[in-house]
Amino acid sequence: LDYWWIVRLTGLASFVVFWRAACALNRAWIGDRAGARSVDLPVLFLSCQYGVLAYFTSGLETPFVILAAAAFALAVARPAERWCGVAVGLTPLVRHEFLLPFAAYCLWSILARRRRPTAALLTCAATSGAYLVFRVWYFADLVPNTFHLKDETSVGQGLYYLYDALMPYWYVPYFLAVVVWYGALRSSGAQGLRGGDRLLLLLLAGLVAAYVTRIGGDARHMRYLLFSCVLAVLATGGVLELWLERAGDVARRAAAPLALALAVGVGAAYPHQLTLHPALHGALGGRSRMVHGVTDSAGFRHATARTTPPWYAWSTPLSVAEARERHARGVAGIEPPYHPRLGIPNWRVRRDARDGHGVFADGWCQNSYLRPASPVVHKWALTDAFLAHANCPSDRPGHKEAVTPMAEELLDLRARYGFGPGAFRRAVEDERAPAWVARNLETLERLEERVYNRRDFATNLALSLDRPPRYDP
């Protein structure tokens, strides 16, 4: 199996597991009282929604993000089942911000349910805990490099990101309808609504949504809000069925066609970034555009190289042809001539005096795949700890234009002094260092201790806890 088959099969399997978990959750909410009248509105709403479906086979961590939301919902609705606690214990391994709902869930279990979340804690310690120990030993850092890059406060952009995720898919009318049904049930004295459990799930969703809003969201439509959106919808399960139990025959007969209409309406919706519905996007020449710094993944799925996805592995001729075609079209202002082996413009390549490998700077990951043995300076700082700590504002989530000229200057420094401890100081002493390096030499040397550590756990633990400050370039 190649990579893309694995991605697709993982996505399909994740969807089946999610569907099964969501159906079981809806039955847990309503019990046996509604019986065959189950409509399962959350499953219809989420299973027909492009914003959710697109990320099952995206190649990112997102299928497991959606499963994480189902795990928390099931663990709250069915707290006696140990496997639900195991599933919750795995969630912090998916994304670091899931530590927030994980901690809140454990506190709820102890304080509200008087039940120790042993399975969740042991699973988390054996997985995320073990990985954290490895990170300290190997990287001398508690969090990934991208955390340092994206850890900023951009509430305005984050609020737009929230708006961009919720508005296309009828979330507002959906939750308004659920609130009306739930209010009618409360006022009529209905029992078994489990309002506390539902409120807890909304709190867990809100914790992650608040964090995502603070950092300004992501450059991809809805990606960072999948957990919150899915979990909030799952928290509404069974409300319609419980309301129908008390409604008249007319409402019961109308429930199924209205639910079907909702599914069709949600399925017809698509984000602001697309000019056509995703089902018609490729066939009718739809465009994928950036709106307020946020793009959709359709531009990656429908590439110009007549392949979906447009590359398979760095060694295949098709992959090299795609790189050359993109450069021939002047992508990101890059023009020929090309390096004969790298397939990238000559002016972006520097020779490393130590080992003869070509050192280059680029922000398009395909260039790195084409030359896996060559050192690369990532122009967006995704893989460069020194650039990631620069105190530069994001022009869009995860993209800092001010870092790109620094990457070119760092490329010259790396080509001359290599990748290793002391490179920055030697450049400063030779008066060949960029001005931002000379001004922040002390901070950069602290980062060098971390990046080029000696795999000594005690020393690395101290380095991990001593977080270097952001520097002003």
Side-chain angles (χ1 to χ4, degrees), residues 421-436:
F424 290 114
R425 179 162 293 278
R426 291 196 298 273
V428 171
E429 291 173 350
D430 293 346
E431 298 184 352
R432 293 180 177 272
W436 59 271

Side-chain angles (χ1 to χ4, degrees), residues 72 75-76 85 88-89 91-92 98-125 200 204 207:
F72 275 103
V76 171
V88 166
T91 58
F98 290 173
L99 278 171
L100 297 173
F102 176 79
Y105 166 80
C106 291
L107 286 175
W108 168 82
S109 298
I110 296 171
L111 300 178
R113 287 295 176 92
R114 305 297 181 184
R115 183 193 300 270
R116 285 181 297 179
T118 305
L121 291 171
L122 289 178
T123 303
C124 184
L200 172 66
L204 301 184
L207 286 173

Side-chain angles (χ1 to χ4, degrees), residues 153-415:
T153 300
S154 183
V155 176
Q157 177 67 23
L159 289 174
Y160 172 79
Y161 190 70
L162 189 64
Y163 164 85
D164 182 72
L166 297 181
M167 292 309 293
Y169 305 113
W170 298 20
Y171 275 97
V172 174
Y174 177 89
F175 284 113
L176 285 176
V178 171
V179 168
V180 171
W181 294 329
Y182 188 83
L185 288 167
R186 285 290 300 270
S187 63
S188 65
Q191 300 298 315
L193 297 180
R194 303 183 65 176
D197 292 346
R198 297 178 191 274
L199 185 61
L200 172 66
L201 293 181
L202 293 177
L203 172 64
L204 301 184
L207 286 173
V208 174
Y211 170 79
V212 171
T213 301
R214 183 189 75 83
I215 65 172
D218 184 49
R220 293 281 166 269
H221 165 72
M222 203 173 182
R223 176 188 170 196
Y224 278 14
L225 286 172
L226 276 174
F227 176 86
S228 298
C229 291
V230 172
L231 185 57
V233 171
L234 292 178
T236 67
V239 174
L240 175 59
E241 286 86 348
L242 296 174
W243 180 79
L244 288 174
E245 189 181 31
R246 293 170 171 261
D249 291 336
V250 175
R252 294 191 188 98
R253 286 195 295 267
L258 287 177
L260 181 61
L262 173 68
V264 172
V266 172
Y270 56 93
H272 307 119
Q273 287 78 9
L274 299 182
T275 58
L276 287 172
H277 189 275
L280 308 174
H281 189 278
L284 300 182
R287 292 185 298 108
S288 180
R289 58 196 174 187
M290 184 184 300
V291 180
H292 212 293
V294 180
T295 62
D296 184 72
S297 57
F300 291 85
R301 291 195 303 277
H302 301 282
T304 57
R306 298 164 298 281
T307 59
T308 306
W311 49 75
Y312 295 93
W314 70 269
S315 59
T316 61
L318 180 62
S319 178
V320 178
E322 165 69 3
R324 291 180 180 273
E325 180 176 330
R326 287 178 66 94
H327 289 302
R329 290 185 287 106
V331 174
I334 301 172
E335 298 292 344
Y338 306 102
H339 187 280
R341 292 190 305 279
L342 297 182
I344 61 177
N346 278 318
W347 67 270
R348 296 186 71 85
V349 181
R350 309 289 191 274
R351 301 305 298 175
D352 189 329
R354 295 176 304 126
D355 55 14
H357 284 306
V359 184
F360 63 96
D362 211 293
W364 185 40
C365 301
Q366 177 67 354
N367 286 335
S368 302
Y369 299 152
L370 288 172
R371 190 67 173 176
S374 298
V376 59
V377 176
H378 198 286
K379 76 172 187 178
W380 300 114
L382 289 174
T383 60
D384 193 288
F386 304 101
L387 296 177
H389 280 78
N391 189 24
C392 301
S394 292
D395 299 272
R396 53 185 295 241
H399 294 72
K400 301 180 178 182
E401 294 288 348
V403 171
T404 56
M406 297 170 60
E408 290 292 340
E409 293 177 321
L410 183 58
L411 174 63
D412 290 328
L413 187 150
R414 292 303 186 199

